[in-house]
Short mmCIF file of all heavy atoms in Angstrom, two decimals:
data_model
loop_
_atom_site.label_atom_id
_atom_site.label_comp_id
_atom_site.label_asym_id
_atom_site.label_seq_id
_atom_site.Cartn_x
_atom_site.Cartn_y
_atom_site.Cartn_z
N VAL A 127 111.29 40.94 99.47
CA VAL A 127 111.63 39.58 99.89
C VAL A 127 112.92 39.13 99.23
O VAL A 127 113.79 38.55 99.83
CB VAL A 127 110.44 38.60 99.57
CG1 VAL A 127 110.89 37.19 99.79
CG2 VAL A 127 109.24 38.88 100.46
N ASP A 128 113.03 39.40 97.95
CA ASP A 128 114.26 38.98 97.20
C ASP A 128 115.48 39.72 97.73
O ASP A 128 116.61 39.19 97.64
CB ASP A 128 114.11 39.25 95.73
CG ASP A 128 113.13 38.30 95.03
OD1 ASP A 128 112.76 37.29 95.66
OD2 ASP A 128 112.75 38.55 93.91
N ALA A 129 115.27 40.90 98.23
CA ALA A 129 116.45 41.62 98.80
C ALA A 129 116.63 41.37 100.31
O ALA A 129 117.38 42.06 100.99
CB ALA A 129 116.18 43.15 98.61
N LEU A 130 115.95 40.31 100.83
CA LEU A 130 116.06 39.91 102.23
C LEU A 130 115.56 41.02 103.18
O LEU A 130 116.15 41.12 104.27
CB LEU A 130 117.50 39.48 102.51
CG LEU A 130 118.14 38.44 101.59
CD1 LEU A 130 119.50 38.09 102.06
CD2 LEU A 130 117.24 37.21 101.53
N GLU A 131 114.59 41.77 102.73
CA GLU A 131 114.05 42.90 103.56
C GLU A 131 112.63 42.58 104.02
O GLU A 131 111.79 43.45 103.95
CB GLU A 131 114.10 44.21 102.76
CG GLU A 131 115.51 44.61 102.35
CD GLU A 131 115.52 45.90 101.53
OE1 GLU A 131 114.42 46.21 100.90
OE2 GLU A 131 116.54 46.58 101.53
N ILE A 132 112.41 41.36 104.52
CA ILE A 132 111.09 40.99 104.94
C ILE A 132 110.48 41.88 105.98
O ILE A 132 109.30 42.19 105.95
CB ILE A 132 111.10 39.53 105.41
CG1 ILE A 132 111.49 38.56 104.25
CG2 ILE A 132 109.73 39.06 105.99
CD1 ILE A 132 111.72 37.14 104.65
N ARG A 133 111.33 42.33 106.88
CA ARG A 133 110.82 43.17 107.99
C ARG A 133 110.34 44.59 107.51
O ARG A 133 109.68 45.25 108.29
CB ARG A 133 111.92 43.33 109.01
CG ARG A 133 112.25 42.05 109.75
CD ARG A 133 113.34 42.21 110.76
NE ARG A 133 113.71 40.96 111.39
CZ ARG A 133 114.71 40.74 112.25
NH1 ARG A 133 115.49 41.85 112.53
NH2 ARG A 133 114.98 39.60 112.77
N LYS A 134 110.67 44.90 106.23
CA LYS A 134 110.25 46.14 105.69
C LYS A 134 108.92 46.05 104.86
O LYS A 134 108.52 47.07 104.30
CB LYS A 134 111.33 46.71 104.81
CG LYS A 134 112.62 47.11 105.53
CD LYS A 134 113.59 47.78 104.61
CE LYS A 134 114.91 48.15 105.35
NZ LYS A 134 115.85 48.77 104.45
N LEU A 135 108.33 44.87 104.90
CA LEU A 135 107.11 44.68 104.09
C LEU A 135 105.93 45.48 104.63
O LEU A 135 105.07 45.93 103.90
CB LEU A 135 106.68 43.24 104.10
CG LEU A 135 107.54 42.29 103.22
CD1 LEU A 135 107.05 40.83 103.39
CD2 LEU A 135 107.48 42.72 101.79
N GLY A 136 105.88 45.75 105.93
CA GLY A 136 104.77 46.50 106.50
C GLY A 136 103.58 45.59 106.84
O GLY A 136 103.61 44.37 106.52
N SER A 137 102.61 46.15 107.47
CA SER A 137 101.55 45.35 108.00
C SER A 137 100.30 45.23 107.07
O SER A 137 99.32 44.58 107.43
CB SER A 137 101.10 45.98 109.32
OG SER A 137 100.59 47.24 109.21
N THR A 138 100.32 45.89 105.93
CA THR A 138 99.14 45.92 105.05
C THR A 138 99.33 45.07 103.78
O THR A 138 98.38 45.09 102.93
CB THR A 138 98.73 47.30 104.69
OG1 THR A 138 99.77 47.93 103.88
CG2 THR A 138 98.51 48.13 105.94
N VAL A 139 100.41 44.38 103.61
CA VAL A 139 100.66 43.64 102.38
C VAL A 139 99.52 42.60 102.18
O VAL A 139 98.99 42.45 101.08
CB VAL A 139 102.01 42.94 102.39
CG1 VAL A 139 102.18 42.01 101.16
CG2 VAL A 139 103.09 43.96 102.31
N VAL A 140 99.20 41.82 103.18
CA VAL A 140 98.19 40.77 103.10
C VAL A 140 96.85 41.35 102.75
O VAL A 140 96.17 40.90 101.77
CB VAL A 140 98.08 39.96 104.37
CG1 VAL A 140 96.96 38.99 104.27
CG2 VAL A 140 99.39 39.21 104.65
N ALA A 141 96.42 42.38 103.45
CA ALA A 141 95.08 42.99 103.19
C ALA A 141 95.00 43.58 101.79
O ALA A 141 93.94 43.58 101.20
CB ALA A 141 94.81 44.04 104.26
N GLN A 142 96.12 44.07 101.26
CA GLN A 142 96.07 44.71 99.96
C GLN A 142 96.20 43.73 98.81
O GLN A 142 95.72 43.97 97.68
CB GLN A 142 97.17 45.78 99.83
CG GLN A 142 96.94 46.97 100.65
CD GLN A 142 97.94 48.09 100.36
OE1 GLN A 142 97.96 48.53 99.15
NE2 GLN A 142 98.65 48.57 101.31
N THR A 143 96.83 42.59 99.04
CA THR A 143 97.10 41.65 97.90
C THR A 143 96.16 40.44 97.88
O THR A 143 96.15 39.72 96.89
CB THR A 143 98.55 41.12 98.00
OG1 THR A 143 98.79 40.53 99.22
CG2 THR A 143 99.55 42.28 97.81
N MET A 144 95.32 40.23 98.93
CA MET A 144 94.39 39.19 98.81
C MET A 144 93.16 39.68 98.10
O MET A 144 92.78 40.87 98.21
CB MET A 144 93.98 38.70 100.21
CG MET A 144 93.26 39.71 101.11
SD MET A 144 92.95 39.02 102.74
CE MET A 144 91.91 40.32 103.47
N ASN A 145 92.61 38.87 97.21
CA ASN A 145 91.46 39.23 96.38
C ASN A 145 90.36 39.78 97.22
O ASN A 145 89.59 40.72 96.76
CB ASN A 145 91.01 38.11 95.55
CG ASN A 145 91.69 38.05 94.19
OD1 ASN A 145 92.76 38.67 94.04
ND2 ASN A 145 91.07 37.44 93.21
N SER A 146 90.17 39.26 98.38
CA SER A 146 89.00 39.73 99.29
C SER A 146 89.34 40.98 100.01
O SER A 146 88.55 41.43 100.86
CB SER A 146 88.61 38.60 100.19
OG SER A 146 89.72 38.22 101.00
N GLY A 147 90.46 41.59 99.71
CA GLY A 147 90.89 42.80 100.43
C GLY A 147 89.87 43.97 100.37
O GLY A 147 89.53 44.63 101.33
N VAL A 148 89.29 44.15 99.16
CA VAL A 148 88.29 45.20 98.98
C VAL A 148 87.09 44.96 99.93
O VAL A 148 86.54 45.95 100.53
CB VAL A 148 87.94 45.36 97.53
CG1 VAL A 148 87.20 44.12 96.99
CG2 VAL A 148 87.00 46.65 97.32
N ASN A 149 86.65 43.75 100.03
CA ASN A 149 85.44 43.44 100.84
C ASN A 149 85.90 43.54 102.30
O ASN A 149 85.03 43.85 103.17
CB ASN A 149 84.92 42.08 100.52
CG ASN A 149 83.62 42.16 99.86
OD1 ASN A 149 82.81 43.01 100.13
ND2 ASN A 149 83.36 41.22 98.94
N ALA A 150 87.11 43.21 102.67
CA ALA A 150 87.54 43.34 104.06
C ALA A 150 87.48 44.77 104.52
O ALA A 150 87.05 45.12 105.62
CB ALA A 150 89.00 42.80 104.22
N TYR A 151 87.92 45.71 103.61
CA TYR A 151 87.79 47.13 103.94
C TYR A 151 86.36 47.56 104.01
O TYR A 151 85.94 48.23 104.99
CB TYR A 151 88.55 47.95 102.85
CG TYR A 151 90.01 48.07 103.06
CD1 TYR A 151 90.89 47.09 102.54
CD2 TYR A 151 90.57 49.15 103.80
CE1 TYR A 151 92.28 47.24 102.77
CE2 TYR A 151 91.95 49.23 104.06
CZ TYR A 151 92.78 48.27 103.45
OH TYR A 151 94.11 48.40 103.64
N LEU A 152 85.53 47.21 103.01
CA LEU A 152 84.15 47.67 102.97
C LEU A 152 83.32 47.09 104.16
O LEU A 152 82.59 47.92 104.80
CB LEU A 152 83.51 47.21 101.65
CG LEU A 152 83.90 47.97 100.41
CD1 LEU A 152 83.40 47.29 99.18
CD2 LEU A 152 83.20 49.41 100.51
N SER A 153 83.45 45.85 104.44
CA SER A 153 82.63 45.29 105.56
C SER A 153 83.06 45.92 106.87
O SER A 153 82.17 46.10 107.73
CB SER A 153 82.81 43.77 105.58
OG SER A 153 84.16 43.39 105.81
N GLY A 154 84.36 46.19 107.07
CA GLY A 154 84.74 46.80 108.29
C GLY A 154 84.27 48.24 108.44
O GLY A 154 83.87 48.66 109.52
N LYS A 155 84.29 48.94 107.33
CA LYS A 155 83.81 50.35 107.39
C LYS A 155 82.31 50.43 107.58
O LYS A 155 81.84 51.43 108.21
CB LYS A 155 84.29 51.08 106.14
CG LYS A 155 85.80 51.30 106.09
CD LYS A 155 86.17 52.09 104.82
CE LYS A 155 87.68 52.32 104.78
NZ LYS A 155 88.04 53.29 105.88
N LEU A 156 81.62 49.47 107.10
CA LEU A 156 80.14 49.52 107.17
C LEU A 156 79.57 48.69 108.36
O LEU A 156 78.42 48.90 108.69
CB LEU A 156 79.54 49.07 105.84
CG LEU A 156 79.83 50.02 104.67
CD1 LEU A 156 79.28 49.40 103.35
CD2 LEU A 156 79.23 51.38 104.85
N GLY A 157 80.29 47.74 108.81
CA GLY A 157 79.82 46.89 109.87
C GLY A 157 78.86 45.84 109.38
O GLY A 157 77.86 45.48 110.00
N LEU A 158 79.13 45.24 108.18
CA LEU A 158 78.28 44.20 107.57
C LEU A 158 78.48 42.90 108.23
O LEU A 158 79.53 42.40 108.42
CB LEU A 158 78.66 44.07 106.08
CG LEU A 158 78.58 45.40 105.28
CD1 LEU A 158 78.99 45.15 103.80
CD2 LEU A 158 77.19 46.05 105.35
N GLY A 159 77.34 42.25 108.62
CA GLY A 159 77.38 41.00 109.29
C GLY A 159 76.80 39.82 108.57
O GLY A 159 76.88 38.73 109.03
N ASN A 160 76.28 40.02 107.36
CA ASN A 160 75.78 38.91 106.54
C ASN A 160 76.95 38.40 105.70
O ASN A 160 78.12 38.67 105.96
CB ASN A 160 74.61 39.42 105.70
CG ASN A 160 73.66 38.32 105.29
OD1 ASN A 160 73.95 37.52 104.40
ND2 ASN A 160 72.50 38.25 106.00
N GLN A 161 76.66 37.68 104.67
CA GLN A 161 77.74 37.15 103.83
C GLN A 161 78.57 38.26 103.20
O GLN A 161 78.02 39.27 102.70
CB GLN A 161 77.12 36.36 102.64
CG GLN A 161 78.19 35.73 101.70
CD GLN A 161 77.60 35.02 100.51
OE1 GLN A 161 76.47 35.26 100.08
NE2 GLN A 161 78.37 34.16 99.97
N VAL A 162 79.88 38.13 103.33
CA VAL A 162 80.84 39.03 102.76
C VAL A 162 81.80 38.20 101.90
O VAL A 162 82.60 37.48 102.43
CB VAL A 162 81.59 39.85 103.80
CG1 VAL A 162 82.69 40.65 103.22
CG2 VAL A 162 80.60 40.75 104.59
N CYS A 163 81.69 38.29 100.58
CA CYS A 163 82.57 37.46 99.76
C CYS A 163 83.00 38.18 98.50
O CYS A 163 82.41 39.18 98.08
CB CYS A 163 81.85 36.14 99.40
SG CYS A 163 80.54 36.30 98.21
N THR A 164 84.04 37.67 97.90
CA THR A 164 84.64 38.23 96.67
C THR A 164 84.57 37.22 95.58
O THR A 164 85.12 36.09 95.72
CB THR A 164 86.07 38.66 96.87
OG1 THR A 164 86.06 39.70 97.91
CG2 THR A 164 86.68 39.25 95.64
N ASN A 165 83.90 37.53 94.48
CA ASN A 165 83.90 36.61 93.32
C ASN A 165 84.87 37.06 92.27
O ASN A 165 85.30 38.20 92.29
CB ASN A 165 82.49 36.61 92.71
CG ASN A 165 82.04 37.93 92.15
OD1 ASN A 165 82.11 38.93 92.82
ND2 ASN A 165 81.58 37.96 90.91
N SER A 166 85.20 36.18 91.35
CA SER A 166 86.16 36.52 90.25
C SER A 166 85.87 35.70 89.08
O SER A 166 86.12 34.46 89.12
CB SER A 166 87.63 36.26 90.77
OG SER A 166 88.53 36.79 89.80
N SER A 167 85.30 36.31 88.05
CA SER A 167 85.00 35.60 86.81
C SER A 167 85.37 36.49 85.60
O SER A 167 84.54 36.71 84.70
CB SER A 167 83.50 35.28 86.72
OG SER A 167 83.17 34.32 87.76
N ALA A 168 86.61 36.97 85.60
CA ALA A 168 87.12 37.78 84.49
C ALA A 168 86.18 38.94 84.21
O ALA A 168 85.69 39.60 85.18
CB ALA A 168 87.33 36.88 83.25
N CYS A 169 85.90 39.21 83.00
CA CYS A 169 85.06 40.35 82.56
C CYS A 169 83.58 40.26 82.91
O CYS A 169 82.83 41.19 82.87
CB CYS A 169 85.21 40.66 81.10
SG CYS A 169 86.95 40.60 80.57
N ALA A 170 83.18 39.05 83.37
CA ALA A 170 81.75 38.87 83.82
C ALA A 170 81.66 39.06 85.30
O ALA A 170 80.54 38.93 85.84
CB ALA A 170 81.34 37.42 83.43
N THR A 171 82.73 39.40 85.99
CA THR A 171 82.74 39.48 87.46
C THR A 171 81.66 40.41 88.01
O THR A 171 80.95 40.06 88.93
CB THR A 171 84.10 39.97 87.95
OG1 THR A 171 85.10 39.01 87.56
CG2 THR A 171 84.12 40.18 89.45
N GLY A 172 81.53 41.65 87.45
CA GLY A 172 80.65 42.59 87.99
C GLY A 172 79.14 42.18 87.88
O GLY A 172 78.37 42.32 88.80
N ALA A 173 78.84 41.74 86.72
CA ALA A 173 77.43 41.24 86.53
C ALA A 173 77.11 40.06 87.40
O ALA A 173 76.05 39.91 87.94
CB ALA A 173 77.18 40.89 85.04
#
Side-chain angles (χ1 to χ4, degrees):
V127 170
D128 287 348
L130 308 181
E131 297 177 337
I132 295 174
R133 294 177 183 174
K134 294 184 179 180
L135 286 178
S137 60
T138 64
V139 170
V140 174
Q142 289 191 59
T143 58
M144 63 184 189
N145 267 22
S146 57
V148 63
N149 251 325
Y151 277 89
L152 283 168
S153 61
K155 289 180 177 295
L156 295 175
L158 305 177
N160 206 282
Q161 181 184 23
V162 172
C163 74
T164 298
N165 65 307
S166 186
S167 294
C169 312
T171 297

